[in-house]
Amino acid sequence: MALLVKKFGGTSVADIDRIRNVARRVVADYDQGHDVVVILSAMAGVTDGLIRLAREVTEFPDKRELDVLLATGEQTTAALLAMLLKSMNYPAESLLGFQAEVRTDAAFGNARILDIGAHRIRELLNARHIVVVAGFQGCDAKGNITTLGRGGSDTSAVAIAASLSADACEIFTDVDGVYTADPNVCSKARKLPRISYDEMLEMSSLGAKVLQIRSVEFAKKYNVPVHVRSSFSEEEGTMVVNADADMEKIVVTGVTSNKNEARITLKAVPDQPGIAAKIMTPIGEAGIIVDMIIQNPHSGGKTDLTFTVPKADYREALKIAERVGKEIDAEEVIGDEKIAKVSVTGVGMRSHHGVAARMFSTLAKENINIMMITTSEIRISCVIEEKYAELAVRALHSAFGLDGKNSDE
Ligand code: ADP
Ligand code: ASP
Ligand code: MG
């Protein structure tokens, strides 16, 4: 008999009918003799609603208290499912993050899982209980409640699967797998039967929110095969696994876009050693993560320095850039929130050339200007105007042969 970890996302537990659907799926496995651990998200929209409530109290809610509040979303669904299972005469018990011994650092709102004790989970499984764990939450060394960042229930599930050496970790969501592009943006996107951890890592970090990036990091580190599938059908979804030779043949497996970044440019700063450090040091000290950085020569021995930051940190980063800009005599500091990053990903890029050229010419054909470019071994990203994001995804999806059936270029 197998040990199964099954995670259901927000839309899968959006109301009581859907929670009944989850219960049906869970007991079907239990009745076959499997051990089942269920990880739940909050009902769709609840986490956003709680954040809005907190902002009605104060513009910058205390991060510790915000986590206490946000964790209630998952507490609600875990209790409801366990209650329902018990009413159906199944032995079940709900556990909050701290009861499942999900130990994290103290970075409220974005905590990292350090380790998982899972003694209680094991005890309950040994007694043939269905264990329902509230996702997205853990607790720090002092016993404070922490949350794992948006989309964090995926990470709860994979981390718990790893700590239990589960036979399978299934992520149930509102799409039936991982697609070559967001199926809600690109109607020609195709479901991938399999994707490698590395490709999924890139796609998650570039905007494919179907799996939180940290869940993929965990899966890769502990070799947990993850099955992404639909809550609403029995169809097989996508397996996220180690790369194999077949995967290397496909040059581009996915196209993503991300509107979560903003761009800041310091114009005409002195082209001298130490200038980039002067700008980036206070940004880093403020805990702001810089993604892309480029420097372009300006006339008269000066240079333009441009970088991107998460939109959530944009105002603060701009304030810092304006202050430093004055100190180093920059001509102007410009901010731009209306940008998008579009990317193509594929492990096959390691051994193929011409991908960048094809990406640039595709964007040029659509008259889309490229503002910044970055690459990794298995990815190329371009920053473009936000309004062209969807058009760019669809054009690149076609250009790399991902549309329809004849895709394995
Ligand atoms: P859940 O609430 O179940 O965690 P999410 O909303 O976090 O679900 O993630 C599922 C969503 O991810 C889909 O509805 C889809 O719009 C989006 N998505 C983005 N890129 C992709 C992709 N490449 N393949 C599948 N879904 C994607
Ligand atoms: N409820 C949390 C969120 O909306 C965590 C999750 O759904 O994975 O981000
Ligand atoms: Mg999610």
Side-chain angles (χ1 to χ4, degrees):
M1 288 303 116
L3 168 52
L4 310 176
V5 171
K6 299 165 102 66
K7 178 258 172 178
F8 293 85
T11 40
S12 310
V13 292
D15 55 38
I16 300 299
D17 269 350
R18 294 203 174 163
I19 295 180
R20 281 189 207 286
N21 173 53
V22 171
R24 264 193 303 275
R25 297 194 78 130
V26 167
V27 300
D29 286 322
Y30 181 85
D31 286 342
Q32 284 183 19
H34 299 308
D35 287 331
V36 189
V37 179
V38 188
I39 317 293
L40 293 186
S41 288
M43 291 176 169
V46 164
T47 309
D48 288 336
L50 291 169
I51 292 172
R52 275 197 302 274
L53 263 184
R55 294 239 164 94
E56 277 181 39
V57 173
T58 163
E59 196 186 344
F60 297 108
D62 178 83
K63 289 186 171 172
R64 178 190 182 280
E65 303 312 328
L66 187 61
D67 275 2
V68 175
L69 180 69
L70 295 191
T72 62
E74 274 70 11
Q75 176 161 354
T76 306
T77 47
L80 288 171
L81 178 65
M83 203 180 278
L84 177 60
L85 290 167
K86 282 177 171 164
S87 76
M88 295 159 67
N89 291 321
Y90 283 89
E93 202 159 301
S94 64
L95 296 178
L96 300 181
F98 79 92
Q99 294 168 317
E101 298 159 85
V102 179
R103 287 185 278 265
T104 71
D105 62 18
F108 297 114
N110 200 21
R112 273 183 186 276
I113 295 179
L114 303 174
D115 72 281
I116 295 182
H119 294 93
R120 255 218 28 232
I121 301 182
R122 280 204 192 84
E123 273 168 29
L124 287 164
L125 288 175
N126 287 340
R128 272 298 280 161
H129 276 60
I130 298 171
V131 187
V132 183
V133 183
F136 180 53
Q137 52 177 270
C139 93
D140 72 6
K142 290 188 181 151
N144 296 305
I145 294 174
T146 54
T147 65
L148 309 178
R150 298 308 304 267
S153 300
D154 297 331
T155 304
S156 309
V158 178
I160 287 173
S163 78
L164 295 171
S165 304
D167 297 291
C169 178
E170 293 170 295
I171 305 286
F172 290 89
T173 183
D174 58 357
V175 286
D176 56 9
V178 179
Y179 278 69
T180 48
D182 185 341
N184 291 317
V185 169
C186 180
S187 60
K188 291 181 180 158
R190 286 176 310 105
K191 186 169 85 182
L192 297 161
R194 288 172 331 128
I195 185 170
S196 71
Y197 293 126
D198 288 335
E199 286 166 330
M200 196 64 237
L201 274 176
E202 292 280 8
M203 282 179 70
S204 293
S205 77
L206 297 165
K209 67 169 180 164
V210 62
L211 284 179
Q212 197 203 32
I213 182 161
R214 283 183 187 163
S215 71
V216 191
E217 286 168 2
F218 256 100
K220 182 178 175 186
K221 187 165 171 194
Y222 296 102
N223 233 324
V224 181
V226 174
H227 187 182
V228 179
R229 58 192 308 192
S230 167
S231 291
F232 311 111
S233 84
E234 294 294 329
E235 213 178 303
E236 290 283 299
T238 301
M239 291 303 302
V240 189
V241 290
N242 273 313
D244 59 33
D246 272 358
M247 290 180 180
E248 308 276 346
K249 285 190 208 141
I250 302 171
V251 184
V252 168
T253 39
V255 183
T256 46
S257 71
N258 182 344
K259 296 181 184 171
N260 296 334
E261 287 182 32
R263 181 170 73 121
I264 294 173
T265 301
L266 289 95
K267 280 217 148 208
V269 299
D271 194 3
Q272 289 164 4
I275 287 290
K278 260 207 177 109
I279 299 162
M280 291 306 153
T281 306
I283 299 267
E285 280 168 359
I288 298 171
I289 294 169
V290 172
D291 179 26
M292 297 176 158
I293 306 177
I294 54 165
Q295 209 176 301
N296 297 107
H298 193 99
S299 56
K302 303 261 179 148
T303 185
D304 295 339
L305 192 107
T306 303
F307 58 95
T308 63
V309 294
K311 254 185 200 157
D313 298 321
Y314 171 64
R315 303 254 146 237
E316 195 179 350
L318 189 61
K319 227 193 263 167
I320 296 170
E322 280 166 351
R323 196 194 66 224
V324 179
K326 262 194 207 125
E327 284 167 25
I328 59 175
D329 209 20
E331 188 183 287
E332 201 183 357
V333 176
I334 307 167
D336 182 3
E337 279 188 280
K338 296 212 166 333
I339 60 164
K341 183 164 72 173
V342 288
S343 314
V344 298
T345 314
V347 285
M349 274 187 213
R350 289 191 181 119
S351 49
H352 289 75
H353 52 82
V355 180
R358 189 173 327 172
M359 180 168 190
F360 304 155
S361 61
T362 304
L363 295 175
K365 243 187 257 162
E366 300 292 338
N367 255 324
I368 300 172
N369 186 38
I370 300 171
M371 303 171 184
M372 301 171 89
I373 301 165
T374 53
T375 62
S376 82
E377 223 191 347
I378 63 165
R379 172 206 24 127
I380 304 171
S381 301
C382 296
V383 170
I384 61 171
E385 266 186 80
E386 187 181 72
K387 64 181 178 192
Y388 295 127
E390 285 78 21
L391 172 65
V393 167
R394 288 191 284 265
L396 292 167
H397 197 268
S398 289
F400 284 100
L402 297 173
D403 286 357
K405 275 190 230 140
N406 304 319
S407 56
D408 48 352
E409 230 184 305

